[in-house]
Amino acid sequence: MNAHVFVDETKERGLLVAAAVVLPADLAAARRTIRDLILPGQRRIHFHKERDDRRRQIVAAVVTLSAYAVIFDAKRHRDPRAAREACLIELVEHAAKIGAGRLVLERDDSTLQADQRLLFEQVRKSGISRTLRYDHLRAHEECLLAIPDALAWCWAKGGRWKTSVQRIVSESRQV
């Protein structure tokens, strides 16, 4: 499959990680759609900082993309580090299961070294070190990181926001 998996999180009410899966043939169209949503003067879409009318516009575009998402919910973990590790382990297992070729995580300098160590170990354990490339990028470096950013925010917010993105979320896992 060689899917590309774009990953972001929210820590609003416990850790929730969203992984958006896009097939290579759909990458260009998805990037074009997201870039068209970036307003003049913006470097990127940051869903948390958008007004509700803009959020609705972004969600309406995201759910039309040829993509699906998996939510990794680690809210039951009290320790933030253990929660993150549990999500990353599940994320690598999912990447292996679908034959992903690339994993792109939004870069968080506070967790970068720990993430890299864990990913290196888990990718090797899963036997996909030759087929899966993973990167930590800033959101302005990869516009498709806006997809999991929006999904994580909506899922954590609940109510109508969660309902608005449910059709693109194929699975929600408690980790």
Side-chain angles (χ1 to χ4, degrees), residues 69-103:
V70 177
I71 303 292
F72 300 95
D73 184 340
K75 292 178 189 170
R76 68 178 179 88
H77 289 272
R78 299 237 187 273
D79 176 15
R81 185 175 174 190
R84 186 166 190 84
E85 288 177 1
C87 286
L88 290 179
I89 289 167
E90 288 282 327
L91 179 62
V92 171
E93 287 177 13
H94 183 72
K97 179 178 142 188
I98 66 168
R102 186 170 186 220
L103 185 60

Side-chain angles (χ1 to χ4, degrees), residues 145-165:
L145 286 167
I147 301 169
D149 177 50
L151 295 173
W153 188 92
C154 289
W155 202 263
K157 195 72 167 171
R160 66 183 170 97
W161 291 108
K162 183 176 179 179
T163 301
S164 72
V165 297

